[in-house]
Amino acid sequence: MNKKRTIQILALVVVFSMIFTTAAFAAMSPNGMPFGQAKKLERTQNTYQEAAKYMKEKQIMFGYGKDTSGEDVFGFTDYVKRGDIAVMIARAFKLSVTIDTFTEDFLDVGDSDYFYEAIMTAKKLGIVKGTDGKNFNPNKLVTVEEAILMVERSVSVANNNVMLGFEELYDDFDPEEIGDELRDIFKNELKDYATRQDIALMLYYVLTGEEYDGEVDEEKDIKDITYTIEEDDDYVTFNDADFTKAFNVEDEEFEYVRFIFPVKNGTLYYDYDEDASKNTLVDENTKYYDGSSSDHKLIDKVTFVPKDGYSGTTYILYKVTTDDDNTYKGLIKITVNVDEEEEEDFEELSTIKYSMDENTLLRFKESSFNSILDEFKFEVPSKVKMYYNVSLTDNDFDDSGDYKIDNDDEFEDEDLDHIVFVPNADFTGKVEVKYTAYDGEDAYEGIVQVTVKEVQEIPTMKLSVDEEDDDNLVFDFEDELDDLTDNDEIFTQDVFNALDNVQFELPDQGTLQIKTGSSFVNVNKSTKYDLSDIISMKYIQVEDTDTADDIVTINFKAFDGTKEYDGVIEITVED
């Protein structure tokens, strides 16, 4: 059963209240404490009661209604089905996952079942697997060992997908340790069926801990560095004095820092310039020194620029190296405030989507945009260029000419049909062009998303040879290539005339040879051959006892100095 829809699932992603106020889960409990440092739980009646209370308060487990005396019935001694534990884990971790397409649903899990979204999300994230590859058996009782494995995978998934580098704060952190500790707690019942109170204790163990104090590591004596980017500011430049002040290790002197990547919610630049073309990115392998080392790169020339529209607190890790060559980790907290009134002035538009082949051009369509809008400004990404009022068949655009679109250019709605989108040579993938549009005084923000598809630009060169012939296939590659040109396609006569070199892959059977001098030699797949030097090519067959025709495929690339074009030689060996 294949579903093509978007489902917002309250399953497996962060809404915990913790130190990382942006969505950062990974190695942190809901109270902000690193996983693996939770309080050691004993299986006593008191801890079971604490776990049960926690499950109720966090709405991880719901009851069965009320008994005759009006008390809620939670059935904590009841066994748990596989479908129900998936739902409990989903509620416990509260991660928000968007899934565009569900493929290969379990045959025994229907989309109308209450556990469907939790199970399919957990499957998508690798937390649960089917019992036979096709079925999940949601009504089968779960064992203690199976439950521990699901909890262990959930923590690991959260760590790998959300933490993005922050686990380096905790040298001893290992997601598997949680599973090992749970197995130790339940070591005599691993093969038994798990009860609701067993699951409650597992989740309580993982999700609770002492309050985290906000320091990176008390033993390291390195304080957090805090910056604030006010609503009227665009960026913050670091101050080397803040780093030396935060460093407070006895008998050691601050030498230099390296920044730990990835950096979330913004970008680090060195010697930042608001002209994007002049910017240099900070390198995680580069050493940055304080102002006393003027012959090195300096900390006080490092600038953090937040993403457009971002607000909240983001965190950047760094390592200090001392004069004794010891290293210590530190944390920079940057709070970004956005002018809420200005943000409210913009309404978000739905994304406009186009699709095109690589090394071709695309013209926008006015009909794709909202009809109420009458003025537009586009942010041109680095992977493409955009032009106004040029021919789609004209590939020779002058970057310095009047037709090239810049970010400050304004267009009326009737101009949209004249905007041409040009990806960089050989680029494939998705590109997003942000734009701001206006309807009178009302402002809107939207995205044009263009998918550039990889294509075979050169038509397939189809040749044939008779298997019973003693002679092998000899052909003039340049003439055969010339015959493939078509002025209505990508591979035009002008493209062919501009080609300089060609590079071949080797066939999966038989031998490809090339003649550039007095005799044939085997093709070297690492060599670019000058197209004008190729006298002829030869395909040497292999003996085949099969009675059916064989099709041999040989991929190649042709180059014109700035672009490359993909092609295929298809040789039919006729029986």
Side-chain angles (χ1 to χ4, degrees):
M1 158 189 338
N2 293 329
K3 309 284 185 299
K4 197 120 178 133
R5 57 178 179 157
T6 299
I7 301 178
Q8 293 288 349
I9 304 170
L10 288 179
L12 308 168
V13 170
V14 115
V15 273
F16 292 142
S17 166
M18 50 187 189
I19 176 175
F20 299 128
T21 57
T22 58
F25 168 83
M28 308 296 294
S29 75
N31 295 325
M33 179 180 175
F35 279 117
Q37 298 183 26
K39 292 180 290 186
K40 186 70 175 179
L41 293 184
E42 300 294 334
R43 294 181 65 186
T44 64
Q45 187 61 33
N46 183 55
T47 54
Y48 273 126
Q49 289 175 352
E50 290 179 10
K53 180 181 178 182
Y54 186 87
M55 295 299 107
K56 296 176 189 177
E57 290 176 348
K58 300 299 181 182
Q59 295 187 324
I60 296 170
M61 291 185 181
F62 291 91
Y64 298 151
K66 298 183 182 295
D67 61 14
T68 55
S69 62
E71 294 291 327
D72 290 327
V73 178
F74 279 84
F76 281 104
T77 58
D78 292 350
Y79 292 131
V80 179
K81 298 177 182 178
R82 286 168 56 84
D84 289 330
I85 189 174
V87 174
M88 294 174 188
I89 287 176
R91 294 171 181 160
F93 287 89
K94 288 191 171 74
L95 293 184
S96 178
V97 173
T98 300
I99 297 181
D100 294 324
T101 304
F102 281 154
T103 59
E104 299 180 358
D105 286 2
F106 291 121
L107 298 178
D108 56 354
V109 180
D111 58 359
S112 61
D113 294 329
Y114 69 91
F115 42 64
Y116 173 80
E117 294 178 355
I119 291 175
M120 296 312 300
T121 302
K123 180 188 178 186
K124 186 78 173 179
L125 295 173
I127 293 169
V128 301
K129 299 179 181 179
T131 53
D132 59 0
K134 297 181 180 179
N135 295 282
F136 182 74
N137 285 335
N139 295 314
K140 181 181 177 182
L141 298 179
V142 67
T143 66
V144 171
E145 174 64 26
E146 288 173 327
I148 291 173
L149 184 60
M150 291 182 191
V151 172
E152 183 181 16
R153 287 173 179 164
S154 300
V155 175
S156 180
V157 164
N159 181 65
N160 292 335
N161 287 283
V162 183
M163 200 57 177
L164 295 177
F166 280 93
E167 67 272 17
E168 293 191 47
L169 284 169
Y170 313 106
D171 295 332
D172 299 328
F173 174 70
D174 182 355
E176 293 184 2
E177 289 182 3
I178 295 173
D180 291 338
E181 290 167 5
L182 287 174
R183 290 182 184 90
D184 183 62
I185 294 173
F186 293 91
K187 58 186 176 183
N188 297 321
E189 296 101 279
L190 293 177
K191 294 184 179 180
D192 294 345
Y193 291 128
T195 64
R196 285 164 63 85
Q197 67 179 7
D198 291 334
I199 305 301
L201 190 65
M202 292 179 196
L203 295 175
Y204 180 63
Y205 173 76
V206 171
L207 300 177
T208 61
E210 297 174 354
E211 189 71 24
Y212 180 55
D213 61 10
E215 296 294 334
V216 176
D217 193 330
E218 291 182 358
E219 296 178 358
K220 294 178 179 176
D221 293 322
I222 186 165
K223 298 178 181 179
D224 293 346
I225 298 172
T226 303
Y227 293 109
T228 299
I229 300 178
E230 301 294 347
E231 60 187 36
D232 295 330
D233 297 332
D234 296 325
Y235 53 85
V236 61
T237 299
F238 298 160
N239 187 330
D240 59 4
D242 296 330
F243 286 77
T244 55
K245 183 179 179 180
F247 184 74
N248 188 31
V249 179
E250 293 183 5
D251 302 323
E252 292 191 66
E253 291 186 9
F254 180 101
E255 184 75 10
Y256 60 83
V257 302
R258 285 193 178 101
F259 295 95
I260 299 174
F261 284 71
V263 172
K264 298 183 65 178
N265 306 313
T267 307
L268 288 179
Y269 293 102
Y270 186 77
D271 202 11
Y272 177 68
D273 192 302
E274 294 189 22
D275 181 350
S277 65
K278 298 180 181 179
N279 277 324
T280 301
L281 295 174
V282 165
D283 187 342
E284 62 184 319
N285 297 315
T286 300
K287 303 172 183 178
Y288 296 89
Y289 294 79
D290 63 20
S292 62
S293 305
S294 58
D295 55 337
H296 295 98
K297 289 198 171 182
L298 304 178
I299 296 172
D300 59 9
K301 288 191 175 184
V302 175
T303 297
F304 173 77
V305 180
K307 290 181 179 178
D308 290 343
Y310 172 74
S311 61
T313 302
T314 194
Y315 301 83
I316 300 174
L317 284 169
Y318 67 95
K319 289 182 180 180
V320 174
T321 300
T322 68
D323 56 348
D324 293 334
D325 210 28
N326 293 322
T327 59
Y328 301 86
K329 296 187 183 75
L331 186 65
I332 305 168
K333 299 180 182 179
I334 303 177
T335 301
V336 183
N337 296 321
V338 173
D339 187 339
E340 294 183 359
E341 292 184 2
E342 180 179 342
E343 195 174 50
E344 290 174 356
D345 288 339
F346 289 88
E347 294 187 28
E348 187 174 347
L349 298 166
S350 58
T351 299
I352 297 169
K353 296 184 179 181
Y354 293 114
S355 179
M356 64 182 298
D357 293 335
E358 64 175 318
N359 295 321
T360 61
L361 313 177
L362 171 73
R363 190 186 295 279
F364 286 179
K365 296 180 180 179
E366 181 185 353
S367 59
S368 301
F369 293 80
N370 193 307
S371 60
I372 69 169
L373 306 174
D374 51 30
E375 188 176 334
F376 298 82
K377 291 174 68 173
F378 294 92
E379 296 181 24
V380 184
S382 59
K383 299 174 183 177
V384 304
K385 295 181 176 64
M386 292 172 60
Y387 298 88
Y388 177 73
N389 205 23
V390 295
S391 169
L392 280 176
T393 60
D394 182 8
N395 287 283
D396 187 18
F397 298 136
D398 182 2
D399 284 354
S400 62
D402 296 333
Y403 297 121
K404 186 166 180 266
I405 294 176
D406 294 319
N407 291 347
D408 295 331
D409 293 338
E410 297 181 358
F411 299 93
E412 303 296 328
D413 51 354
E414 60 265 24
D415 296 328
L416 296 174
D417 284 333
H418 301 280
I419 291 178
V420 176
F421 175 92
V422 186
N424 290 351
D426 301 320
F427 171 81
T428 58
K430 288 186 178 179
V431 180
E432 291 189 345
V433 180
K434 297 179 180 178
Y435 69 92
T436 303
Y438 301 89
D439 171 28
E441 295 182 356
D442 295 329
Y444 303 82
E445 290 186 334
I447 292 174
V448 178
Q449 183 185 90
V450 183
T451 301
V452 185
K453 299 180 294 184
E454 183 176 0
V455 297
Q456 178 187 319
E457 297 97 338
I458 303 175
T460 300
M461 182 184 299
K462 295 188 177 183
L463 307 170
S464 64
V465 62
D466 194 328
E467 186 178 20
E468 295 181 357
D469 290 346
D470 293 333
D471 294 335
N472 295 298
L473 175 64
V474 178
F475 58 100
D476 188 320
F477 177 78
E478 187 173 9
D479 283 351
E480 295 286 350
L481 192 61
D482 191 2
D483 290 342
L484 298 176
T485 59
D486 186 339
N487 286 330
D488 292 330
E489 300 293 338
I490 298 173
F491 191 58
T492 64
Q493 189 65 44
D494 288 340
V495 171
F496 171 78
N497 292 337
L499 295 180
D500 300 318
N501 309 100
V502 64
Q503 186 173 11
F504 299 93
E505 295 185 12
L506 302 182
D508 54 3
Q509 65 179 35
T511 304
L512 183 66
Q513 294 189 335
I514 190 168
K515 185 177 182 180
T516 59
S518 59
S519 60
F520 282 100
V521 295
N522 289 349
V523 164
N524 185 334
K525 66 178 182 180
S526 301
T527 300
K528 286 185 179 180
Y529 297 95
D530 191 314
L531 184 60
S532 61
D533 289 343
I534 301 176
I535 300 171
S536 57
M537 303 196 70
K538 180 193 293 186
Y539 173 69
I540 301 175
Q541 306 179 52
V542 292
E543 185 177 351
D544 189 1
T545 58
D546 196 343
T547 59
D549 292 347
D550 283 334
I551 296 179
V552 179
T553 300
I554 303 170
N555 296 313
F556 68 90
K557 292 182 182 293
F559 305 86
D560 68 359
T562 59
K563 296 181 182 179
E564 65 180 49
Y565 301 86
D566 293 322
V568 175
I569 304 171
E570 185 179 282
I571 302 174
T572 301
V573 182
E574 299 173 347
D575 181 65

